[in-house]
Amino acid sequence: MDAEVIVVGAGIGGLVTATQLAVKGIKVLVLEKYLIPGGSASFFARNGYRFDVGASMIFGFGKRGTTNLLTRALEAVGQDLPTIPDPVQVHYHLPDGLEVEVARDYQRFIDHLSSKFPHEKRGIKQFYDECWGVFNCLNSIELLSLEEWRYLLRVFVQNPLACLGLVRYLPQNVGTIARKYIRDPLLLKFIDIECYIWSVVPADKTPMINAGMVFSDRHYGGINYPKGGVGQIAEHLVAGLRRYGGEIYYSARVTKVMPSRDRVTVELANGKQLSARKVVSNATRWDTFEQLLGDHPLPQAEQKWRTNYQKSPSFLSLHLGIKASALPPQTHCHHILLDNWAEMEQSLGTVFVSIPTLLDPSLAPADHHIIHAFSPSWMAEWRGLSSSEYENKKEAEAGKVIQRLQKICPEIESALDYQEVGTPRTHRRFLGRVDGTYGPIPSRQLWGLLPMPFNRTAVPNLYCVGDSTFPGQGLNAVAFSGFACAHLVASDLGRA
């Protein structure tokens, strides 16, 4: 295929970029190293189960506003993906018996949390209402590239107050805002874990812009699970890409990116070379600049970025099949388990749990459920192990997680029908991400989102998309990055 733009990687950010370019009539080719699309939003099938590779708590499928970016990305290429609403976003099981359920209905959640902290009732409402203020600014403008001056001018003229509101919050983090209204140390720890479960950092390091989106959209558009599993998002985007003349090659591992003044050449593992006017990397910035660009000098902007951000941990993942009879009635789909506040950011400290078959039973054999449990784990803990040491460590660490899962499903051990364990080494191998990381996190307290790079790089005709770019991690966030990147590339090609 004679492509104008090559996208390296078929994660959601890469696919949204590709589809948005394709609908503008730009010839785009996606190169994916694996056999199926989606990256950490893909799936695998075992013994009648269809497991999501990553999280199943999905934002961006709302039916109104401008922040429903997954809905918009699919509709743009003529794709309709049915979803199933989740009535409770997450059920927290926290130290000292603190149990909090985040209902889809906003006032119900506020009342529930206030019942746990009645002396902070006013502060709770003020904090989460301020998050709504951020969200309302975002939800009133079209979300495209902040690097394209004509777009910035247009949205400012159309909605100056929303733009000024976002400018105000760009340099701010959640912790600063929360402490304006809340004094209770335990409640502030709750705000920390509210941030941690999607940003992988506590409130003082979590940008307020991102929190405004997450803490409000879960009540506005809601958490909605794609029917057939999370992998359906990528599969539908690929169908839309092809419908509009784009193409994707699988088992096409890019080993080198060679930029020049007018074109960029990529080299595959088999030695084949392809070139295009523009190349978009959906790899992490570490993989892009340290691996794909080879001996190309590291731009100063990238050096600075590395002083501000570090790799987030990878995860120990358990994909379990259990007998449905073992799951207590009224169990919710998503859970967070934490036994000790001091261990929130430590390996196996916080356990994330999804039971997607409560929403879509078709993902498992009859009378069975899927439990996907995952917890932070660093590559350093898994290096230098012999094959037997590696397998023994997997078994031991999985056993610890299964014990923790008894809080949700007391009979889980006797109900197990299938078990598969993934480690940071697994994620590095199949997702092609350095150290199995799920993206960058601040290495220290920063000025909100201001230091986060956008899509354009200092390398001619090379762009980045995905969680290493503004606005960061999460499917809806990388979809935003894809919309912005496509808009910028199309503008640079004179096709916006």
Side-chain angles (χ1 to χ4, degrees):
M1 179 183 181
D2 184 20
E4 297 175 84
V5 178
I6 289 174
V7 178
V8 179
I12 298 302
L15 288 175
V16 171
T17 302
T19 50
Q20 285 292 300
L21 290 170
V23 296
K24 298 177 187 296
I26 296 170
K27 293 182 179 179
V28 59
L29 171 64
V30 180
L31 301 174
E32 168 55 44
K33 65 169 286 188
Y34 197 48
L35 304 174
I36 57 174
S40 58
S42 60
F43 75 98
F44 64 96
R46 298 285 191 278
N47 292 17
Y49 296 94
R50 184 180 171 109
F51 293 106
D52 297 327
V53 168
S56 57
M57 189 188 297
I58 310 299
F59 299 85
F61 274 124
K63 300 298 183 185
R64 52 188 176 143
T66 63
T67 57
N68 55 343
L69 296 171
L70 294 176
T71 298
R72 291 176 55 209
L74 290 163
E75 287 180 346
V77 285
Q79 299 297 303
D80 178 37
L81 177 54
T83 60
I84 305 159
D86 189 352
V88 174
Q89 185 229 358
V90 63
H91 182 176
Y92 289 100
H93 309 263
L94 302 173
D96 301 318
L98 178 60
E99 301 268 335
V100 179
E101 297 179 10
V102 180
R104 190 182 186 102
D105 180 82
Y106 177 61
Q107 192 57 51
R108 182 179 166 193
F109 162 63
I110 293 296
D111 290 344
H112 176 64
L113 185 59
S114 297
S115 72
K116 306 289 182 177
F117 300 93
H119 55 293
E120 291 279 16
K121 181 177 180 179
R122 181 181 180 189
I124 289 170
K125 185 71 163 58
Q126 288 175 317
F127 168 69
Y128 284 102
D129 279 357
E130 186 151 347
C131 292
W132 272 101
V134 176
F135 177 78
N136 290 335
C137 290
L138 287 166
N139 202 37
S140 63
I141 62 175
E142 186 180 14
L143 301 176
L144 295 173
S145 176
L146 300 180
E147 299 178 88
E148 213 286 297
W149 66 270
R150 286 163 293 196
Y151 158 73
L152 291 176
L153 180 61
R154 184 177 77 249
V155 297
F156 184 79
V157 170
Q158 291 172 345
N159 203 329
L161 293 180
C163 293
L164 292 173
L166 292 176
V167 168
R168 173 192 169 198
Y169 286 108
L170 267 175
Q172 299 199 59
N173 292 311
V174 177
T176 303
I177 305 297
R179 285 191 294 272
K180 283 172 45 180
Y181 306 115
I182 295 169
R183 295 291 178 267
D184 188 301
L186 180 57
L187 182 54
L188 288 171
K189 288 179 181 179
F190 175 75
I191 302 299
D192 274 335
I193 199 163
E194 277 262 81
C195 294
Y196 183 79
I197 68 169
W198 50 270
S199 70
V200 206
V201 287
D204 276 341
K205 293 183 180 179
T206 299
M208 185 62 182
I209 293 281
N210 298 43
M213 174 77 85
V214 173
F215 292 163
S216 304
D217 192 42
R218 63 190 182 186
H219 307 292
Y220 181 84
I223 304 300
N224 300 280
Y225 188 76
K227 190 168 178 58
V230 173
Q232 291 292 323
I233 302 171
E235 291 183 349
H236 278 66
L237 285 171
V238 168
L241 173 69
R242 287 173 168 158
R243 177 178 179 178
Y244 278 84
E247 189 50 272
I248 182 168
Y249 294 167
Y250 295 109
S251 300
R253 183 167 68 91
V254 175
T255 57
K256 191 180 294 185
V257 173
M258 297 169 283
S260 64
R261 190 169 190 176
D262 300 317
R263 296 184 72 80
V264 183
T265 300
V266 301
E267 184 172 289
L268 305 183
N270 62 10
K272 184 177 180 179
Q273 293 188 347
L274 301 166
S275 67
R277 292 178 63 186
K278 311 287 184 183
V279 166
V280 177
S281 174
N282 193 193
T284 71
R285 297 189 91 89
W286 293 284
D287 290 298
T288 299
F289 288 92
E290 296 173 13
Q291 302 298 323
L292 297 182
L293 284 170
D295 295 331
H296 193 284
L298 186 66
Q300 186 175 356
E302 293 303 314
Q303 296 177 34
K304 183 176 181 181
W305 181 78
R306 280 159 175 71
T307 67
N308 289 328
Y309 292 90
Q310 63 187 18
K311 298 167 198 155
S312 74
S314 186
F315 289 95
L316 178 79
S317 296
L318 275 66
H319 291 91
L320 309 174
I322 68 164
K323 297 173 184 176
S325 58
L327 203 63
Q330 309 304 316
T331 301
H332 298 302
C333 178
H334 297 107
H335 301 259
I336 297 295
L337 305 175
L338 179 64
D339 295 336
N340 186 334
W341 287 110
E343 297 175 355
M344 184 181 77
E345 298 179 77
Q346 296 180 13
S347 181
L348 301 191
T350 301
V351 178
F352 303 71
V353 184
S354 296
I355 314 174
T357 42
L358 288 170
L359 301 176
D360 186 354
S362 71
L363 301 173
D367 300 320
H368 287 75
H369 277 301
I370 285 172
I371 294 182
H372 179 200
F374 52 103
S375 189
S377 184
W378 279 262
M379 179 64 77
E381 302 168 13
W382 298 88
R383 287 195 180 103
L385 302 178
S386 67
S387 295
S388 60
E389 289 171 336
Y390 179 64
E391 292 302 322
N392 289 339
K393 183 174 176 62
K394 282 173 64 175
E395 183 177 351
E397 299 292 87
K400 295 176 185 176
V401 175
I402 288 174
Q403 283 188 339
R404 302 272 296 279
L405 291 174
Q406 291 177 1
K407 182 170 287 188
I408 299 169
C409 183
E411 300 176 11
I412 187 169
E413 289 191 82
S414 61
L416 277 175
D417 174 62
Y418 181 84
Q419 174 177 315
E420 186 152 335
V421 182
T423 73
R425 286 165 56 165
T426 314
H427 299 144
R428 179 183 62 187
R429 176 185 177 190
F430 289 103
L431 301 181
R433 299 174 68 92
V434 60
D435 293 341
T437 180
Y438 269 67
I441 56 175
S443 55
R444 52 192 172 84
Q445 188 170 339
L446 301 174
W447 291 94
L449 272 179
L450 284 180
M452 179 63 88
F454 295 105
N455 303 106
R456 193 189 303 281
T457 76
V459 178
N461 302 311
L462 177 66
Y463 305 77
C464 283
V465 73
D467 51 39
S468 290
T469 63
F470 183 96
Q473 297 184 45
L475 285 192
N476 209 32
V478 298
F480 183 169
S481 175
F483 274 97
C485 189
H487 180 220
L488 180 63
V489 172
S491 178
D492 289 350
L493 290 171
R495 311 272 284 281

